[in-house]
């Protein structure tokens, strides 16, 4: 695997799959509108080669005002649709503002879909503030730092999550900030799981 | 007539589940090691075939 890895950026080229294309098309719009976001799900492992698919991609979006959300909705509406509600006001007031997620798929489809939500807990804000820029075939997107992704996946604890964590660790263990990883392992109380399944 | 079900040893089943999971994790290591050695075009073409 060839990639350029720095503290703030990962740059690489790959043959894109349909999930990559979906994520690129969606994040292009957020990038263009200057809306901050971070991708936090299993897609991060898939992005870097994990061989599985996913019905959805999880994204935390900065808490924007309704007017900005309406502008985002208008842009997204050209190629995507919200599969939770067709009303922009309801999407904002009854879902996002109430800390519930909404989902967007390509028009006429249902999966894959992008699940977006506002930050809820300190960890969400930290992920957004420390997001990693990824340049995939020169397409820019932002993902949660690997040093948080791995322990958080172990915290989630399903077999699929542990496998994702194992994969990310195998790919990035020589490159990532081990001290930061250890700090999150301690904070998320998963040192035992880490030692059992990853080391 | 009621169908007779086999004896079920939950401890054994759990042990097999853990063993199977361990094998899957070992496979992930092998796969990640392979990905790290390959040109990006090669591993990502295979991934695209699976996902698409």
């Amino acid at each position: 695997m060839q990639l350029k890895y720095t503290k703030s950026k990962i740059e690489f080229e790959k043959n894109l799959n349909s999930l990559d294309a979906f994520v690129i098309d969606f994040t292009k719009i957020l990038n263009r509108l200057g809306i901050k976001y971070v991708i936090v799900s299993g897609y991060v492992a898939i992005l870097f080669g994990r061989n599985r698919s996913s019905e959805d991609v999880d994204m935390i979006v900065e808490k924007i005002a309704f007017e900005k959300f309406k502008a985002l909705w208008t842009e997204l509406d050209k190629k995507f649709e919200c599969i939770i509600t067709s009303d922009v006001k309801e999407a904002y007031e009854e879902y996002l503002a109430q800390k519930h997620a909404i989902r967007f798929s390509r028009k006429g489809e249902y999966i894959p879909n992008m699940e977006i939500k506002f930050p809820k807990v300190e960890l969400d804000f930290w992920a957004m503030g420390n997001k990693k820029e990824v340049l995939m075939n020169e397409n820019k997107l932002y993902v949660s730092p690997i040093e948080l992704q791995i322990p958080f996946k172990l915290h989630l604890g399903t077999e699929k999550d542990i496998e994702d964590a194992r994969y990310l660790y195998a790919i990035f263990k020589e490159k990532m900030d081990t001290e930061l990883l250890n700090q999150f392992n301690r904070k998320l109380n998963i040192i035992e799981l880490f030692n059992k399944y990853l080391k | 007539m009621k169908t007779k079900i086999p004896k079920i040893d939950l401890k054994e089943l759990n042990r097999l589940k853990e063993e199977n999971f361990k094998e899957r994790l070992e496979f992930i290591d092998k796969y990640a090691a392979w990905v790290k050695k390959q040109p990006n075009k090669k591993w990502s073409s295979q991934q695209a075939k699976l996902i698409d």
Side-chain angles (χ1 to χ4, degrees), chain A residues 28-180:
Chain A
K28 240 182 210 154
I29 296 168
L30 291 162
N31 292 341
R32 197 163 61 232
L33 293 174
I35 293 172
K36 298 190 184 77
Y37 64 89
V38 66
I39 293 170
V40 295
S41 57
Y43 176 71
V44 180
I46 295 168
L47 170 64
F48 294 113
R50 173 96 157 94
N51 258 353
R52 68 172 183 88
S53 191
S54 181
E55 291 175 346
D56 64 8
V57 177
D58 294 338
M59 180 189 273
I60 301 170
V61 174
E62 63 167 325
K63 193 173 178 184
I64 48 180
F66 177 66
E67 286 308 312
K68 196 158 191 184
F69 177 72
K70 216 164 114 180
L72 172 62
W73 182 280
T74 304
E75 276 306 300
L76 286 172
D77 196 50
K78 292 173 185 171
K79 286 186 179 173
F80 297 89
E81 61 185 346
C82 181
I83 57 175
I84 301 299
T85 172
S86 55
D87 187 279
V88 60
K89 204 164 177 229
E90 188 182 13
Y92 188 86
E93 288 179 2
E94 302 303 321
Y95 286 88
L96 290 175
Q98 304 303 323
K99 302 197 177 182
H100 299 306
I102 53 175
R103 292 171 183 263
F104 289 89
S105 65
R106 289 196 196 277
K107 273 193 187 321
E109 297 177 13
Y110 210 81
I111 55 171
N113 55 73
M114 187 70 75
E115 186 192 279
I116 72 168
K117 50 190 173 257
F118 287 157
K120 277 189 218 178
V121 295
E122 280 302 312
L123 216 52
D124 293 344
F125 289 102
W126 189 92
M128 289 216 45
N130 293 275
K131 60 189 184 294
K132 200 110 175 175
E133 181 184 312
V134 175
L135 270 177
M136 171 175 54
N137 299 19
E138 292 174 23
N139 295 290
K140 192 187 288 188
L141 53 130
Y142 295 95
V143 303
S144 174
I146 307 294
E147 296 89 347
L148 171 57
Q149 271 294 111
I150 291 170
F152 195 78
K153 281 260 153 191
L154 291 175
H155 162 75
L156 293 174
T158 68
E159 287 189 354
K160 184 184 66 178
D161 291 313
I162 293 169
E163 288 167 16
D164 284 352
R166 178 105 165 201
Y167 180 78
L168 284 173
Y169 186 70
I171 294 291
F172 288 109
K173 62 184 173 197
E174 293 95 5
K175 300 182 191 307
M176 64 183 159
D177 182 342
T178 316
E179 183 45 49
L180 183 61

Side-chain angles (χ1 to χ4, degrees), chain A residues 1 15 18 46 163 166 170, chain B residues 24 29 36 44-45 47 52:
Chain A
M1 178 183 255
N15 275 1
S18 56
I46 295 168
E163 288 167 16
R166 178 105 165 201
Chain B
R24 289 214 317 271
D29 287 346
K36 281 162 94 168
S44 59
S45 300
Q47 188 193 43
D52 299 341

Side-chain angles (χ1 to χ4, degrees), chain A residues 1-2 12-18 46 48-53 159 162-163 166-167 170-171 174 196-197, chain B residues 17-18 21 24-26 28-29 31-32 35-41 43-48 50-52:
Chain A
M1 178 183 255
Q2 299 80 46
F12 74 122
E13 307 246 318
K14 66 180 284 197
N15 275 1
L16 299 178
N17 56 60
S18 56
I46 295 168
F48 294 113
R50 173 96 157 94
N51 258 353
R52 68 172 183 88
S53 191
E159 287 189 354
I162 293 169
E163 288 167 16
R166 178 105 165 201
Y167 180 78
I171 294 291
E174 293 95 5
K196 184 177 180 185
Y197 291 119
Chain B
K17 187 176 151 191
E18 189 66 36
F21 183 46
R24 289 214 317 271
L25 290 178
E26 282 165 3
I28 283 171
D29 287 346
Y31 177 69
V35 166
K36 281 162 94 168
K37 286 191 191 131
Q38 302 307 314
N40 290 358
K41 199 174 176 180
W43 63 258
S44 59
S45 300
Q46 292 210 2
Q47 188 193 43
L50 181 83
I51 289 177
D52 299 341

